[in-house]
Amino acid sequence: MKLEGKVALVTGSSQGIGQAIAIRLAQEGASIVINYRSHPEGAEATLAQVKEAGGKCHMVDGLTIQADTGIVTDVQRMIADSIAHFGKLDILVNNAGIEKNADFWDVTEKDYDAVMNVNLKGVFFATQAFVKHLLDTKQPGKIINISSVHEELPFPHFAAYCVSKGGLKMLTRNLAVELAPHGITINNVAPGAIETPINTKLLNDPEKLGALLKNIPLGRLGQPKDVASLVAFLASADSDYVTGTTFFVDGGLLWNYQEQ
Ligand code: BGC
């Protein structure tokens, strides 16, 4: 087990990729703060699996915290409550994310703000609160942002989403340099098409799904655990010399171009 004695907070871990990450980190021996916005049942399900995963290791514990990661005061409270409960925080996984599908000319300010607040602003200030804790306690730490292939790749009709993920790319590069002297690393994990609630609509549309699968060289959608295994590496000491980098988990989607 790579994470024994560590405490990790995973935002948006009541479902999808975040849930798989929470469980995987618990399997590695970490205690987990499970954050959710509107699915307490999902968070409880994650908690049950975290406890089960840690069954063999009595050090593993879990805590659920409701917080809207699009609201700065919420993310500050979430970090503070995590530290108050466990006495420390070693790993922050900024996973929570949303997307809105609309033609560029129809995007409303409300939808733009919703996407930017959760995907970028909340990450910025959660990370800030986490870093202040690490500096105060003179501890090293690991930050892992769940970005997207769309931090590089255009995604027509999802302009705000792409802007937010592009912002995450630069946040990570910038902070890698600024935080390195303090023993804090930061990396992005950029999933492609993973089977999760964020793309339920697409998964239920056989035509669109077929077209998407043709773009994935490995010929299948990713599973949340495909992402979680990479996060487990980045959260562990095995990745101590890795910072400021994006890792794509996309079955080859990003670099696929073929003439038919
Ligand atoms: C989006 C999905 C999309 C996938 C591949 C992800 O970032 O959340 O909706 O299917 O990228 O384009």
Side-chain angles (χ1 to χ4, degrees):
M1 278 193 293
K2 294 177 193 289
L3 300 176
E4 231 164 313
K6 302 289 183 193
V7 180
L9 163 59
V10 185
T11 68
S13 47
S14 59
Q15 58 182 8
I17 292 172
Q19 184 173 60
I21 292 170
I23 295 163
R24 179 62 202 262
L25 298 186
Q27 285 167 349
E28 297 291 342
S31 290
I32 309 291
V33 182
I34 298 148
N35 155 252
Y36 68 99
R37 181 182 58 179
S38 46
H39 293 108
E41 356 44 73
E44 288 305 322
T46 309
L47 180 62
Q49 290 186 73
V50 159
K51 287 192 169 158
E52 196 188 313
K56 296 149 224 137
C57 169
H58 299 301
M59 301 300 286
V60 169
D61 202 356
L63 170 73
T64 62
I65 296 183
Q66 192 285 332
D68 182 340
T69 57
I71 299 173
V72 172
T73 48
D74 269 31
V75 301
Q76 289 169 337
R77 170 179 53 80
M78 171 182 75
I79 299 283
D81 287 356
S82 304
I83 295 163
H85 184 87
F86 284 111
K88 65 165 188 166
L89 193 57
D90 305 291
I91 300 154
L92 172 63
V93 183
N94 290 305
N95 164 79
I98 58 171
E99 64 187 31
K100 305 267 183 191
N101 182 351
D103 292 332
F104 170 67
W105 46 93
D106 285 334
V107 175
T108 61
E109 184 178 1
K110 184 167 169 272
D111 280 357
Y112 175 92
D113 283 344
V115 169
M116 295 298 283
N117 285 348
V118 173
N119 294 8
L120 191 56
K121 187 176 178 182
V123 173
F124 190 106
F125 286 101
T127 302
Q128 183 188 67
F130 176 51
V131 165
K132 281 184 182 172
H133 163 66
L134 296 176
L135 297 182
D136 284 350
T137 54
K138 298 195 171 31
Q139 291 300 313
K142 304 234 175 237
I143 301 155
I144 299 142
N145 298 319
I146 306 305
S147 174
S148 164
V149 283
H150 301 299
E151 69 165 51
E152 290 293 345
L153 188 67
F155 194 12
H157 316 291
F158 290 86
Y161 183 74
C162 289
V163 171
S164 71
K165 297 300 184 179
L168 268 190
K169 177 174 77 175
M170 283 313 297
L171 180 66
T172 290
R173 290 183 184 181
N174 212 66
L175 294 189
V177 178
E178 194 168 341
L179 301 180
H182 303 283
I184 303 168
T185 65
I186 177 165
N187 291 287
N188 280 12
V189 171
I194 311 294
E195 245 183 281
T196 74
I198 207 172
N199 46 27
T200 310
K201 254 195 200 157
L202 171 109
L203 298 174
N204 291 324
D205 182 332
E207 211 172 298
K208 278 196 180 153
L209 183 59
L212 172 62
L213 284 172
K214 276 197 194 136
N215 284 331
I216 303 175
L218 284 178
R220 66 168 176 92
L221 294 175
Q223 295 301 317
K225 65 177 170 50
D226 293 319
V227 181
S229 52
L230 181 55
V231 174
F233 163 72
L234 290 171
S236 79
D238 285 349
S239 69
D240 275 353
Y241 199 59
V242 179
T243 195
T245 298
T246 294
F247 296 82
F248 294 92
V249 188
D250 68 348
L253 170 72
L254 178 61
W255 303 125
N256 188 24
Y257 173 76
Q258 298 180 45
E259 301 219 352
Q260 302 306 325

